[in-house]
Amino acid sequence: MLKNELYIGNIVWNRSKFVKVPGTNKRQRRARPESEWLRSSNPDLAIVPADLWKSVRDRFAALPGIWGIRRAVALPPRAMTSPYLFSGLLKCGECGANLIIATGGGTHRHKKYACSRRFNRGGCENDLYIRRDDLEELLLGKLQSEILKPEVVDYAVMEFQKQLEATLAVCPMTSRECVSERLG
């Protein structure tokens, strides 16, 4: 949806063609080069303001730099797009695949973390499903108890102060200009 130009009133035809696979009765979709696309503009169809569309496009362009992605044409990592906090960040202890959100069967369809290889292909022996709310509460509680210890907070503040003083010592501009330039 975030990449569909129809939402800003642009209609694009002829993006793909279907080619029959020899020896079968099936067809496969093939992308056409952008030079063959047919475009038309109809502002009456626009439901997303142009400035919002532009800011979303700018955000998409900035994401590879933020996340250190080197691939030019690819889907962003699951961790960037998932509404679930740890989806794509946690790894399976058996096979190393990402843990994803999967729903279990039965009457209680709670969101659960499970091995993506097991859930999608059955290629892992790990059949453990952990409820999302339980796992997130456990992990966040542990993080909070470890990070918010007074000695950890004091250490973080001291390190920040050291880095700030070092930056200000080597910067020829005024301190405010220097810090704002360094922070981006």
Side-chain angles (χ1 to χ4, degrees):
M1 179 176 161
L2 295 175
K3 295 181 179 182
N4 189 343
E5 293 183 40
L6 187 58
Y7 293 104
I8 58 168
N10 292 339
I11 305 169
V12 182
W13 287 284
N14 208 33
R15 288 185 193 205
S16 60
K17 62 182 174 182
F18 288 88
V19 179
K20 190 165 182 171
V21 178
T24 68
N25 201 17
K26 297 182 179 182
R27 300 180 322 146
Q28 287 186 338
R29 182 181 177 272
R30 300 275 189 236
R32 293 182 188 265
E34 196 167 341
S35 61
E36 294 181 16
W37 293 2
L38 303 173
R39 294 179 175 271
S40 153
S41 181
N42 186 349
D44 295 336
L45 294 177
I47 60 173
V48 175
D51 57 336
L52 177 60
W53 180 263
K54 184 181 177 336
S55 66
V56 169
R57 304 309 306 158
D58 292 345
R59 177 71 175 156
F60 276 142
L63 286 177
I66 293 170
W67 286 83
I69 301 169
R70 291 189 174 89
R71 294 173 278 159
V73 180
L75 292 173
R78 182 73 176 144
M80 286 172 50
T81 58
S82 176
Y84 303 104
L85 187 58
F86 294 111
S87 185
L89 295 176
L90 300 175
K91 303 290 182 188
C92 173
E94 294 287 322
C95 67
N98 289 339
L99 293 186
I100 61 168
I101 292 293
T103 55
T107 57
H108 301 290
R109 294 191 174 255
H110 297 286
K111 304 284 189 216
K112 298 173 185 164
Y113 283 99
C115 174
S116 60
R117 188 168 292 149
R118 168 82 179 199
F119 184 75
N120 292 325
R121 293 180 229 123
C124 178
E125 297 297 317
N126 184 1
D127 62 350
L128 182 64
Y129 282 71
I130 305 169
R131 278 185 54 164
R132 179 190 68 89
D133 49 355
D134 292 342
L135 181 67
E136 288 178 2
E137 183 179 326
L138 178 71
L139 288 174
L140 291 174
K142 188 67 173 171
L143 280 171
Q144 186 176 17
S145 68
E146 293 297 318
I147 290 175
L148 294 180
K149 288 181 179 176
E151 59 271 12
V152 174
V153 173
D154 291 341
Y155 175 77
V157 170
M158 279 184 2
E159 282 299 312
F160 176 76
Q161 185 175 0
K162 284 181 193 176
Q163 293 293 326
L164 183 60
E165 288 171 355
T167 300
L168 293 176
V170 298
C171 190
M173 298 179 252
T174 65
S175 59
R176 182 172 292 215
E177 290 172 340
C178 184
V179 171
S180 64
E181 182 179 298
R182 292 278 176 129
L183 294 178

